[in-house]
Structure formats: C-alpha cells, structure tokens
C-alpha cells in the first residue's frame, strides 16, 4: 500500500483566516424554521453509540499462514478468550461504547466436531471451510470454533459478556431471523423447547403453523457448479444433499434447484406469509415461528446481551417485529434492536411500526460517500440523505463505511487508499446524532488482499474461511493490542479514528445538536468546490460546531467559509461579533476567522467560541 503523508500535511494544515461579518443584528431564537431548505425541524435524539464490529473468529487469530482454503489447524482461529481485558480496553480507548461480536451463534461448518457431540455438516451445503455465520445450525448454541474447550463453549461466551461489561462496553450479537442452515437441529435447546420444523406438516407447501416452506414431492438438488473447497474434497461432498421434500431457499427461492448465486445453504423461515399465494398474511393466531423466535431472543437477552443486529430484517414481516421487540423489552427495557435494511421507503415503517431502535444507512449515506471516495459522486448525495431519505429520523440511522458485507476502503475494489476515509468517516460520525460503526482493521487501513478460499479476491475480509487479517495482526502485536507493529501511516490513521470517535461520543453538539447545512451559503464562494467540499453546523445551547471536509484526492482548496445570518441567529450568536474557531478534531490552536486551507482528504471540526 502507499505510504501515508505526515499527519501535519494531511490534517493540520491551516492557513491565515479572514473574518466574515454578516450585517444584520442577531436575534435569539431557539429553533430554525422548517421552511429553511438548509435544515429540518427534527428534534435530534442522543443516540450516539459507537459500535466496534469484529468478525469474532478472525479478531484474535495470531496465525499468519493464510493458506487458501486452509483448515482451522493450518490458518488458525480466534477465540472468545483472546478478547481479553487488554483488547477490550484498547477498543474502548478507540472510542467504542458497544462491541458487535459477529458470528457468535453456532452455524454450519466443515470443521469436524463429532468428538464433541456436534453432528458433521455436509460440504455440499456449506459455504467456505469455516462456514457462513449466517447459516445458523443451532439458535441456542455458540460457534465451537470460538472456544478453547468446546464442551465449555457457552461458559466461555458468558465469560466474554461479563468481561466486556467489566471493561465498560456493551455486547451486540447477531439475530438471523429469516433463514437457517439446511442442517438446522438444536442440540442445546432448553428443556421443553420444540425444535424448528419438528411438528411441521411437510405435505403442505404452506401452512400457517409450519416453521418452513416446502416443495412437496420434490427433492433438493444442490447447484452443479458448487465446488466447496476447489481441488480438495469437503466432508460428505458428493454433489448431493438429502432433503425431501425440498425446502424453500433463504433468499425467497421456491425451487428445488436453487442456483449457485442463491443462498442455497439456507432455508427460509415461515412467518405466516404465503408467498406463492399473493403473499397472503396469516398472523392470527400468532404464528408458531413468531413464538419460537421470541423465545430465542429472550434466551439471549437473559444472558445479558445488550443489543441484537437483526440480519435482513425487511425479509421478515414488520408485524413480527412490532410483536417481538416489545416482548423482549419486557425482559430488558434497555435492549437495542438494529435492523439491516436496504429499502429507504420502508425506513419509517420499521422505526414506527416495527419498533427498531436503529436502521442501517447503507442505501443512502454509505453509497453516497462511497461514490465520493471513489471520485465518482458529489456532495449532493449527502444533502439528499438528510433532506429526503432520513428526514425526521436521522437519529435512528446507523452510519458506517465498512462492515463484513462491504469492501475494505483500502482495497483496490473500493478507494485503494485508507486516507479516503478521513472526510467520509467524519461525515458519518458527525452528520447526525445517531450511531456510528467501524469494522475491525478499518482503523489501521486493512486492504483485504488475497484469495482466502470460498471468499475470492473481492476486497472483503472473508466471513467464510479461516484467515489472519494482516494489518489488524500488526495492531494486535502478538496479543499486546498496542499497535506495536504498525507503521507510521497506520498509527496516524488509527489516531485519527480515535480522535474522531471519542469526539463524536463526547461532544454535546454531535450527540444532541441540531443541524444546518452550509452548501447554499458557500456555493458561489471562491475556491469552495461544492462538489468536493461539504460543510455544516451542529449546535446546542451549550456548544456550536462547524464541520468542514474536503473529499478531493489531489486539490488543496482555500475557501472562506460563510455562516449566514439565519444560521447565526439559530445558534443564538451575534452576527456582528468576532468569534474564535478551535479545531477539536486535529487539536489546532484557535483562530479568529474562517479563511481555510483544506488539504486533500482533510476534515475539521471547529468549535465556535467568543473571542477572548
């Protein structure tokens, strides 16, 4: 990868400033008119949690062999116990409040745990040597890969939860409601629990009381082009899998012959929607699947899990969420539900009716920032998000630039340069008062090089294979978690993330402040390239912030930022007074005007203060 420029050259370059003095006298007002096109009448809610997502099996892995399709003994695997207090304190110091432990639930795998009493899965319906963490094999158990002593795996998970809480952090795990592994069978379910599908009437394609959808009279045919381990053979691999009658596939495919591009390793759960009969709804009486899934969520809530990230939440009827979320909150009123969702038209419904606390902002801010980071978009994409897609509920939108599904910023498939995150991550963290998330390794510029096995050279860190994550391993430094093997550029990048996330988590204005966009006020300004520069205010009675970012990769710009009279009045500031501007993000000394030098890929968070 390219070496980073010195931090001073990227982040701290400020030139002389020149005052901008609006003419009209100030008048104190408490709100900005909703008719002003530069803001909204939304009352921000303080939802600024900071999530650190890790792929749990990869996080603590110190093995650097990285053999494509490598076994657990060849490539290694991280354990619950690797995530010790030293690691958790380092995550907390980065600014995190929550840790999303991805891949905790037991899922289908090609690794043989039969000696520990766990049935062996068939490679023909497993993706990758390690298996997909979203093909759940037992909702009531944890992944045996993650345990030092497999028979004590749940106790080791319980220890991780306690350790996380003891270090001042909260625990998020996945809940996968839409589909399960084709080999699903719970051997850890509590006494008296009836397993999914155990009492289904398999003679019917759909029955309101069934947990699965069936294709009566048809046998499952796995995709002929499926080659689980390339030249090697996986366990039971013979191009066949016995499933009679065949079940519908997880991505709503009602065919006994799912394609290689389908989620063929999973089966879809039945929530009372008859997909093959005009999607008729059968919600009364409450479907059996709803009750079973409620019980599963309550089981984990009683293990002191603090939040659930709900996989593909919109593939499950919103009526289910309206039922189950209040039920689980009877056990823990503070437990959070985060929806993976991709349809902006459904956002409001899943917040108001579905009762979700937070929603993914992928189709919107992530996609818009991705285009900007690749040099393909402009800042109008950001304006569209707050003006249209999340207008009125931006505090409920979870912002991010990486997660396990998305390509790494530093990969050639995305931006090719981790510094591209500096302006984009600043916007993600400060645009609104909702949550923000980083993915492990993002903060040190992990590029996800290499073909891991089932996961090819695609710019993503594999979720299917056993693997070491090289730049993350440099930070991990053999278990010291001190960044001792990072180079200078990686250290600078992580320091930026730490400053930003800690600022986002502690700033009054970012946590609960109102928003005012400054694009219209500056679009005719000299050297204000409105396609590459984005600026806005976040403010409360106690704190006023000006955020300015430059997405250009090669242009240093010298705009003079204008804050219009209406915005000054909204902040209860006197337009005729001269203010000082202290850069909280980069630690620069306060200056007395807003003629800026914006280096390529730079970001600034100025606190507006009375001049002394």
């Amino acid at each position: 990868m390219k070496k980073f420029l010195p931090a001073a050259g990227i982040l701290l370059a400020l030139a002389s400033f020149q005052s901008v003095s609006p003419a009209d006298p100030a008048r104190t007002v408490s709100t900005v008119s909703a008719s002003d096109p530069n803001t909204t009448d939304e009352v921000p809610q303080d939802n600024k949690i900071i999530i650190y997502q890790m792929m749990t099996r990869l996080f603590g892995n110190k093995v650097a062999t990285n053999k494509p399709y490598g076994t657990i003994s060849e490539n290694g695997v991280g354990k619950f116990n690797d995530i010790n207090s030293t690691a958790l304190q380092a995550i907390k110091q980065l600014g995190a409040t929550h840790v999303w432990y991805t891949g905790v639930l037991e899922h289908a795998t090609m690794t043989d745990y039969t000696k520990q009493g766990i049935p062996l899965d068939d490679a023909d319906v497993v993706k990758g040597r390690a298996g997909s963490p979203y093909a759940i094999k037992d909702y009531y158990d944890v992944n045996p890969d993650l345990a030092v002593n497999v028979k004590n795996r749940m106790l080791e998970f319980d220890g991780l939860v306690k350790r996380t809480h003891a270090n001042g952090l909260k625990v998020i795990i996945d809940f996968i409601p839409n589909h399960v592994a084709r080999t699903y069978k719970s051997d850890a379910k509590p006494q008296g629990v009836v397993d999914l599908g155990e009492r289904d009437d398999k003679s019917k394609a759909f029955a309101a009381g069934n947990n699965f959808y069936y294709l009566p009279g048809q046998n499952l045919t796995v995709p002929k082009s499926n080659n689980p381990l390339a030249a090697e053979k996986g366990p039971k691999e013979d191009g066949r899998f016995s499933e009679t009658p065949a079940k519908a596939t997880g991505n709503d495919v009602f065919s006994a012959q799912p394609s290689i591009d389908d989620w063929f390793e999973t089966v879809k759960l039945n929530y009372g929607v008859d997909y093959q009969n005009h999607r008729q709804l059968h919600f009364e009486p409450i479907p059996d699947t709803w009750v079973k899934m409620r019980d599963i969520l309550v089981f984990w809530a009683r293990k002191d899990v603090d939040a659930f990230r709900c996989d593909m939440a919109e593939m499950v009827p919103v009526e289910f969420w309206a039922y189950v979320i209040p039920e689980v909150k009877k056990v823990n009123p503070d437990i959070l539900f985060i929806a993976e969702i991709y349809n902006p038209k459904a956002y409001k419904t899943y917040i108001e009716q579905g009762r979700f606390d937070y929603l993914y902002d992928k189709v919107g801010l992530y996609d818009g920032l991705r285009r900007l980071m690749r040099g393909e978009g402009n800042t109008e994409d950001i304006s569209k998000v707050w003006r249209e897609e999340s207008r009125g509920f931006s505090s409920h939108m979870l912002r991010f630039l990486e997660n396990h599904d998305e390509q790494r910023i530093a990969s050639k498939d995305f931006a090719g340069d981790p510094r591209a995150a500096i302006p984009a991550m600043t916007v993600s963290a400060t645009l609104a008062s909702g949550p923000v998330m980083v993915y492990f390794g993002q903060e040190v510029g992990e590029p996800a090089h290499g073909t891991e096995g089932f996961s090819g050279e695609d710019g993503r860190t594999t979720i299917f294979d056993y693997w070491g994550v090289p730049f993350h391993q440099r930070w991990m430094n053999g278990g010291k978690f001190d960044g001792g093997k990072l180079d200078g550029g990686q250290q600078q990048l992580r320091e930026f993330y730490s400053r930003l996330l800690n600022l986002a988590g502690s700033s009054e204005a970012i946590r609960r402040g109102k928003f005012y966009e400054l694009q219209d006020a500056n679009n005719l300004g000299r050297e204000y390239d409105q396609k590459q520069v984005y600026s806005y205010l976040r403010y409360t009675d106690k704190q006023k912030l000006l955020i300015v970012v430059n997405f250009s990769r090669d242009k240093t710009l010298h705009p003079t930022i204008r804050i219009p009279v209406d915005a000054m009045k909204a902040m209860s500031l006197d337009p005729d007074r001269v203010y000082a501007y202290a850069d909280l993000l980069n630690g620069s000394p306060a200056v007395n005007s807003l003629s800026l030098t914006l280096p390529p890929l730079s970001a600034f968070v100025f606190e507006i203060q009375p001049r002394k």
Side-chain angles (χ1 to χ4, degrees):
M1 61 170 291
K2 295 181 180 178
K3 293 290 184 183
F4 296 146
L5 294 174
I10 303 173
L11 301 174
L12 304 181
L14 294 175
S16 61
F17 286 68
Q18 180 179 345
S19 297
V20 178
S21 299
D24 295 340
R27 182 169 60 86
T28 301
V29 294
S30 60
T31 60
V32 177
S33 170
S35 61
D36 188 328
N38 300 296
T39 189
T40 75
D41 56 2
E42 178 179 350
V43 178
Q45 300 175 44
D46 184 359
N47 292 335
K48 188 58 73 180
I49 67 173
I50 314 292
I51 300 171
Y52 183 91
Q53 183 196 4
M54 68 170 70
M55 186 63 202
T56 313
R57 86 159 83 92
L58 302 182
F59 179 85
N61 184 23
K62 303 178 186 69
V63 179
T65 305
N66 284 359
K67 174 185 173 182
Y69 297 100
T71 65
I72 191 170
S73 60
E74 291 170 327
N75 281 353
V77 69
K79 305 289 185 180
F80 290 133
N81 289 357
D82 291 323
I83 310 165
N84 56 28
S85 289
T86 303
L88 291 165
Q89 277 300 305
I91 292 169
K92 184 175 175 62
Q93 290 164 11
L94 185 67
T97 60
H98 292 63
V99 184
W100 170 11
Y101 294 114
T102 306
V104 162
L105 300 185
E106 185 182 358
H107 56 78
T109 178
M110 295 189 204
T111 299
D112 188 348
Y113 287 106
T114 53
K115 290 181 180 179
Q116 288 80 21
I118 299 172
L120 184 64
D121 293 304
D122 188 322
D124 291 296
V125 286
V126 179
K127 288 182 177 177
R129 176 83 74 175
S132 168
Y134 295 96
I136 299 303
K137 183 176 176 178
D138 188 343
Y139 277 121
Y140 287 102
D141 208 346
V142 295
N143 180 4
D145 281 349
L146 303 177
V148 174
N149 183 330
V150 172
K151 291 188 176 180
N152 291 334
R153 57 191 179 276
M154 189 62 82
L155 291 176
E156 291 187 26
F157 171 74
D158 292 340
L160 175 62
V161 173
K162 291 177 182 176
R163 198 160 56 248
T164 304
H165 289 158
N167 282 281
L169 295 161
K170 295 191 175 182
V171 173
I172 304 173
I173 66 169
D174 290 284
F175 173 56
I176 297 88
N178 177 66
H179 50 270
V180 295
R182 291 203 179 267
T183 53
Y184 186 91
K185 181 176 174 57
S186 177
D187 50 22
K189 62 185 184 293
Q191 188 173 3
V193 171
V194 177
D195 217 357
L196 287 166
E198 189 175 328
R199 296 177 179 172
D200 280 6
D201 182 349
K202 298 179 182 180
S203 68
K204 295 180 179 177
F206 169 84
N210 280 357
N211 299 134
F212 298 115
Y213 297 95
Y214 296 93
L215 301 163
Q218 300 182 60
N219 301 325
L220 177 72
T221 302
V222 298
K224 289 185 173 60
S225 57
N226 184 36
N227 189 10
L229 295 179
E232 299 183 48
K233 286 288 185 183
K236 302 183 182 180
E237 182 184 348
D238 59 5
R240 297 187 299 274
F241 178 72
S242 178
E243 184 179 279
T244 305
K247 301 183 183 77
T249 294
N251 59 323
D252 296 359
V253 172
F254 288 79
S255 167
Q257 299 178 329
S259 76
I260 193 68
D261 296 321
D262 291 321
W263 304 347
F264 65 85
E265 80 281 18
T266 68
V267 292
K268 186 171 179 65
L269 285 164
N270 173 7
Y271 282 81
V273 181
D274 189 351
Y275 286 88
Q276 295 181 291
N277 191 16
H278 308 292
R279 293 179 177 253
Q280 288 185 6
L281 306 181
H282 299 262
F283 297 160
E284 293 183 7
I286 293 173
D288 183 69
T289 302
W290 291 25
V291 177
K292 282 185 166 62
M293 301 311 267
R294 177 202 64 190
D295 293 346
I296 289 163
L297 286 163
V298 167
F299 172 85
W300 292 103
R302 286 179 172 155
K303 284 190 166 290
D304 291 332
V305 166
D306 300 291
F308 297 102
R309 177 268 188 189
C310 300
D311 185 72
M312 299 306 296
E314 62 189 315
M315 294 187 76
V316 173
V318 70
E319 292 86 352
F320 164 72
W321 298 114
Y323 156 80
V324 79
I325 291 176
E327 288 287 295
V328 179
K329 290 197 175 190
K330 291 177 183 177
V331 176
N332 177 3
D334 296 323
I335 205 161
L336 300 174
F337 282 80
I338 303 166
E340 179 192 17
I341 186 170
Y342 298 108
N343 178 12
K345 293 180 180 178
Y347 287 171
K348 195 172 182 180
T349 300
Y350 273 74
I351 294 169
E352 294 182 352
Q353 183 182 347
R355 308 291 187 91
F356 273 99
D357 297 287
Y358 307 124
L359 312 180
Y360 266 36
D361 194 348
K362 195 276 182 189
V363 181
L365 192 62
Y366 169 87
D367 283 350
L369 291 174
R370 179 185 170 96
R371 288 189 291 271
L372 273 161
M373 295 164 74
R374 288 170 58 86
E376 299 167 350
N378 64 65
T379 60
E380 292 176 4
D381 288 336
I382 304 173
S383 300
K384 182 179 179 182
V385 168
W386 71 261
R387 281 180 177 155
E388 299 176 24
E389 290 182 353
S390 61
R391 188 180 185 95
F393 48 85
S394 66
S395 301
H396 294 278
M397 302 307 292
L398 169 62
R399 270 70 193 256
F400 55 84
L401 295 181
E402 286 189 2
N403 64 42
H404 66 279
D405 285 320
E406 308 302 340
Q407 291 167 328
R408 292 287 193 175
I409 296 162
S411 73
K412 60 182 175 57
D413 303 273
F414 189 162
D417 184 346
R419 297 174 302 169
I422 290 170
M425 196 67 209
T426 302
V427 171
S428 291
T430 68
L431 187 69
S433 60
V436 64
M437 180 171 73
V438 294
Y439 189 39
F440 85 114
Q442 175 184 343
E443 75 277 21
V444 294
E446 170 59 37
H449 290 156
T451 299
E452 300 100 333
F454 181 85
S455 186
E457 181 77 43
D458 61 0
R460 297 174 178 85
T461 294
T462 181
I463 66 170
F464 304 103
D465 308 281
Y466 297 112
W467 201 251
V469 183
F471 286 19
H472 168 72
Q473 288 178 329
R474 292 185 190 180
W475 170 75
M476 191 165 55
N477 191 18
K480 295 179 182 178
F481 300 99
D482 62 359
K485 294 184 179 179
L486 297 175
D487 66 28
Q490 292 167 334
Q491 289 174 348
Q492 290 170 20
L493 186 68
R494 194 173 193 278
E495 288 166 4
F496 158 75
Y497 274 94
S498 180
R499 293 194 306 272
L500 175 64
L501 297 177
N502 278 284
L503 177 61
S506 62
S507 163
E508 158 92 11
I510 295 171
R511 292 188 68 93
R512 57 181 63 88
K514 294 178 181 177
F515 168 86
Y516 194 103
E517 187 184 83
L518 297 176
Q519 296 299 88
D520 285 350
N522 290 278
N523 61 12
L524 298 179
R526 185 169 170 267
E527 287 210 35
Y528 191 95
D529 182 352
Q530 65 172 339
K531 293 184 177 180
Q532 296 291 317
V533 177
Y534 192 70
S535 61
Y536 51 98
L537 303 166
R538 296 293 311 282
Y539 62 93
T540 65
D541 291 341
K542 296 179 181 179
Q543 187 181 43
K544 332 292 181 185
L545 298 181
L546 164 65
I547 296 97
V548 186
V549 300
N550 178 15
F551 286 96
S552 174
R553 290 190 175 215
D554 54 15
K555 291 182 181 178
T556 296
L557 300 170
H558 302 275
T560 297
I561 304 298
R562 179 179 181 273
I563 302 176
V565 172
D566 285 349
M568 295 293 285
K569 289 180 177 179
M571 293 189 291
S572 300
L573 297 179
D574 184 348
D576 291 325
R577 187 170 181 178
V578 177
Y579 293 90
Y581 305 91
D583 183 4
L584 303 182
L585 180 57
N586 303 303
S588 302
V591 293
N592 296 327
S593 60
L594 285 176
S595 286
L596 306 182
T597 292
L598 307 180
L601 301 177
S602 60
F604 304 87
V605 179
F606 297 106
E607 184 170 21
I608 305 171
Q609 304 166 333
R611 184 178 177 182
K612 295 180 181 179

